[in-house]
Amino acid sequence: MDLRGKRGLILGIADDRSIAWGCARVMAACGAELAVTYLDDAAEPHVRPLAEALRSPLVLPCDVRAPGQLEAVFDAVRTAWGTLDVVVHAIAYAPKDDLQGRVADCSAAGFALAMDVSCHSFIRCAKLAEPLMPHGGSLLTFTFYGAEKVVPHYNLMGPVKAALEASVRALAAELGSRRIRVNAVSPGPMGTRAASGLEHFDELLGDAWSRAPEHMLARLDDVGAFAAFLASDGARLVTGNVEYVDAGYHVLG
């Protein structure tokens, strides 16, 4: 996969176990020039060394809950580069009490916050990226099988990720005439920092490994390689999809 000459924005690196880091690492190895964001001052010491390893020219704060921060990131990209080819959105959040409780018990505020951070922020990214992609581009986000079927302990994130997948399809239809492709990647369970907030996560990992046809769990480089393909010209007709990278786990009942 040749990404030389392409410029990408990576949102959601928290540390070296992040899915966003796996994507950034492979894309950079394929020749892409990447801008990187970090959540806040506490996250910056974990992210900046990774950005430096990528030789990222732009390393910017971005909390999508803070008014104006996401817009400031895209403004910085416009000033530095003028155009953009790829956006990787790997952002998700739900308050712990709502995430670890029943969907029936989740609060209105917790549900709204989870939808805003995990779903609507991707829609905002699409709107901000559109004028920076005059010759087309690729928008990527991340989902999980719990959007399609009930997965024990995934709870509130199931409906939220289902909304994200529906948003991917809608955006693909709306932006296709501009040759902007929109896809979601659905890895199996992975030991990321974000996943540690789920109850009984080790059980989910064990179940995925034992039941998946290949008896394997996705690694960061597996997800990164597929994301790099979706960012490449080789995937120019791939849009509106949920692409599974889970050793076949999703095909089982």
Side-chain angles (χ1 to χ4, degrees):
M1 290 170 291
D2 187 355
L3 298 183
R4 286 175 295 179
K6 293 190 182 295
R7 289 166 166 165
L9 171 62
I10 310 293
L11 300 154
I13 298 178
D15 56 29
D16 61 1
R17 294 189 301 156
S18 300
I19 288 174
W21 168 241
C23 295
R25 186 169 60 193
V26 176
M27 288 182 180
C30 292
E33 186 178 17
L34 302 173
V36 169
T37 70
Y38 57 89
L39 177 62
D40 52 25
D41 290 343
E44 183 178 5
H46 302 282
V47 177
R48 188 167 289 278
L50 302 176
E52 291 173 354
L54 300 173
R55 299 183 179 179
S56 298
L58 296 172
V59 186
L60 304 163
C62 185
D63 182 344
V64 297
R65 299 168 297 181
Q69 278 206 5
L70 185 62
E71 289 77 7
V73 167
F74 280 87
D75 284 343
V77 168
R78 180 184 296 107
T79 299
W81 291 338
T83 61
L84 190 60
D85 301 291
V86 181
V87 175
V88 174
H89 170 280
I91 301 171
Y93 174 78
K96 184 176 180 179
D97 289 345
D98 295 291
L99 178 62
Q100 296 188 352
R102 302 189 309 165
V103 172
D105 296 327
C106 74
S107 67
F111 185 84
L113 180 57
M115 286 288 289
D116 182 46
V117 173
S118 310
C119 179
H120 189 250
S121 66
F122 182 60
I123 297 173
R124 292 169 62 198
C125 283
K127 180 177 178 64
L128 292 165
E130 182 180 7
L132 299 180
M133 294 181 166
H135 307 296
S138 177
L139 307 178
L140 304 177
T141 190
F142 294 87
T143 184
F144 180 63
Y145 183 57
E148 180 179 344
K149 300 291 184 181
V150 176
V151 173
H153 311 299
Y154 200 58
N155 303 340
L156 173 59
M157 290 308 296
V160 170
K161 291 294 190 180
L164 179 64
E165 292 183 8
S167 299
V168 164
R169 292 187 288 271
L171 291 168
E174 292 173 354
L175 301 178
S177 63
R178 297 180 64 98
R179 295 187 179 177
I180 297 174
R181 298 174 287 107
V182 189
N183 291 286
V185 178
S186 183
M190 299 178 67
T192 63
R193 182 178 179 182
S196 65
L198 299 173
E199 287 190 304
H200 306 287
F201 184 67
D202 288 345
E203 295 176 14
L204 184 58
L205 285 172
D207 179 68
W209 182 88
S210 64
R211 297 181 65 230
E214 291 190 282
H215 299 296
M216 296 174 67
L217 298 175
R219 303 168 301 175
L220 292 182
D221 284 350
D222 297 322
V223 179
F226 199 80
F229 164 69
L230 291 175
S232 74
D233 294 339
R236 66 187 182 90
L237 297 182
V238 180
T239 193
N241 292 351
V242 175
E243 304 284 358
Y244 294 94
V245 184
D246 65 356
Y249 180 65
H250 70 284
V251 304
L252 301 175

